[in-house]
Amino acid sequence: MRTQFKPGDGRHDPSLSTVMSERRQLINLAYRLLGSLADAEDVVQEAYVRWYAMTPQQREAVESPGGWLTKVAGRICLDQLRSARARRESYVGEWIPEPLPDRTEWAGGRPGGANADPADRVTLDESVNMAFLVVLESMTPAERVAFILHDVFRYSFAEVAEVVGRSPAACRQLASSARRRMRASDAPAAPTTTAARRAAVVRDFKHAWETQDIAALIGLLDPDATALANGGGLVNAAPHPISGSAEIAAYVVAIAGRAPDQTLLERTVNGQPGLVIQQDGTTTAVLAFHITGDRITHFWAVRNPEKLRPWMAG
């Protein structure tokens, strides 16, 4: 199995520098497969543990250390996705993928910070915007792995088969099924407006929220918009999706009324314009948006503090 995003050649040299140079590739893969940076870090750590559990002779015999690590990490992710289905059935409220800040906005001590290893950063492209990750949640574990490995990271189906444990033809069908799910989704992965326009809509939403202008909020929301909040049972959050522009606007204004001292900040969330809510200097929520034309069609509010680690100072 080949590797992507390699800093150079030397795939036959299982030296420490060569093996560790694959870390960014593995972090990027595992985050897209699991929707959680914390889980992705654990997967990558486990892959390296298994690499160094082999004897030097066994490592020397591996033709492509990066390919070996990718295969192992992919299989660990597949196992986690299978077990995650049962865990998420008991999850309190809506499960939303862990939001990521822009590489320049990581809190101290987290990936992207001044003292952090650049290999820990996740590349923020269209395959990590929140709408894309949410659609991935509707796929079976095998579909998700086949789709991400083939369509996003461009591995051949023969290579995907080594991870999924099925034939290349079966993996081709899995990826095809995943693409149908993506096309059928009412929240397409690719933005349909310019970055500047999306930022302007989010800025207007922020102002309307701060001024508690229900009419302006309704005007910025698609009539059939949906909003999901994620508290994980650790903090208060809407237990079910909220549908409709008027209902969402009323909910947002009610939140503003309950927390008049909160601060809203414009930030990049998973590569797209978003908002961060802070209270007394502490991040309490991160909001990601999907915008079609000039209207917000979906937004996700992550309040679970366990998913806000990259946004916390200190």
Side-chain angles (χ1 to χ4, degrees), residues 9-195:
D9 293 327
R11 65 168 55 187
H12 298 291
D13 175 16
S15 65
L16 176 62
S17 60
T18 300
V19 172
M20 293 309 294
S21 71
E22 301 294 338
R23 181 174 176 81
R24 185 173 186 179
Q25 154 80 354
L26 298 173
I27 287 285
N28 273 274
L29 174 66
Y31 174 75
R32 286 162 174 80
L33 287 177
L34 301 176
S36 165
L37 181 62
D39 289 346
E41 291 170 336
D42 289 343
V43 164
V44 174
Q45 180 66 25
E46 176 61 23
Y48 279 113
V49 166
R50 295 186 187 184
W51 170 261
Y52 285 107
M54 294 193 296
T55 66
Q57 293 76 17
Q58 288 174 322
R59 294 197 296 269
E60 191 71 35
V62 175
E63 180 181 359
S64 170
W68 187 95
L69 287 164
T70 298
K71 184 190 302 184
V72 170
R75 287 174 175 172
I76 297 171
C77 287
L78 183 59
D79 289 341
Q80 286 208 12
L81 286 169
R82 287 167 173 160
S83 63
R85 288 194 159 235
R87 293 198 310 271
R88 289 174 190 173
E89 287 177 359
S90 61
Y91 189 86
V92 178
E94 298 293 327
W95 194 93
I96 300 174
E98 180 180 337
L100 296 181
D102 184 76
R103 67 185 61 189
T104 63
E105 298 169 355
W106 292 87
R110 296 297 306 149
N115 300 318
D117 185 348
D120 285 333
R121 296 175 184 162
V122 174
T123 303
L124 299 177
D125 60 19
E126 295 304 333
S127 64
V128 294
N129 77 59
M130 192 61 74
F132 186 93
L133 293 175
V134 168
V135 176
L136 291 178
E137 288 297 316
S138 69
M139 300 178 185
T140 68
E143 284 175 343
R144 185 167 182 165
V145 172
F147 177 73
I148 291 296
L149 283 173
H150 181 267
D151 285 42
V152 176
F153 286 87
R154 301 303 178 187
Y155 288 106
S156 70
F157 284 117
E159 293 167 322
V160 174
E162 296 179 33
V163 176
V164 179
R166 303 190 189 184
S167 69
C171 291
R172 186 183 299 275
Q173 289 300 316
L174 288 169
S176 178
S177 176
R179 285 185 217 110
R180 287 195 296 272
R181 290 181 188 267
M182 191 65 69
R183 288 193 298 268
S185 170
D186 60 355
T192 58
T193 56
T194 65

